[in-house]
Amino acid sequence: AKECPEVNEPSRSMIGLPQEQWLDGVFANSRAQWNVIAQQTIFSRFGQIRDGQKSQWTDGWDGYPANRERVLASIESHQVRNPLILGGDIHAAVIADVHRDADRLESPVLAAEFCGTSIASQGWSEEMFNPRLPQNPHVKFGNTTKRGYLAFEATAKGCDARLRVLDDEKTRASGVHTLASFRVED
C-alpha cells in the first residue's frame, strides 16, 4: 500500500457495491447450515515481507482491503453459519483460516477458505510461492507444484475437502490422487 495508497481507499470494491449489498442481505437472511461463498480468487491476505514491511498481493482481495473488511464485518454481524469461501485463479492451492484480523491469530476465525489450483496451467515457482507460507500463518496449507481440483462433501456434522491432483498434467491419461484432506466441523 506504500507504493499504491489507492489500494486502501474505502470506495474500492472487488465485487461492486450492488453485489456487496446483495451479499450482506443474503448473509442476513441465511438459515443454511453451510454458506458457500464462491468467488474468483484468493480472499485471504497473501502478501509477503519486503524491506521489513508486509506487502499486499493486489491481484486478489489484498488489492481491496476495505471490501474484504466489509464482507468480514457482514459475516460476523449476521453470525453466518459455517461460511466456506471458495476461490481459484492463482494457479496454486491455498487453504486458510479467515481470521477477523489476519494480523492477530487470536482473533476469531470467521470462515474457512479453499482456493483451488489450476487443472492444467502452470503455477508460481516454489521460490516465489513458498516463502509466503510462513509469512501468512493463517494459511494452513499451500502448494504450487500440483495441478488439480478440490472435492467437497458436506454433511450435518462437517464438511470434508480433498485436494485431488494429477500425477502429471502433461499426460492425457494421468492418474489422480488426494494430496491433502481437510475437515471443517459444523
Side-chain angles (χ1 to χ4, degrees), residues 62-76:
D62 275 358
Y64 303 86
N67 186 185
R68 179 170 51 205
E69 167 59 30
R70 290 187 296 270
V71 170
L72 291 173
S74 180
I75 289 171
E76 184 176 48

Side-chain angles (χ1 to χ4, degrees), residues 24-41:
D24 182 67
V26 169
F27 289 160
N29 295 308
S30 176
R31 302 296 169 253
Q33 179 175 359
W34 297 98
N35 286 274
V36 178
I37 304 152
Q39 47 82 50
Q40 70 269 35
T41 189

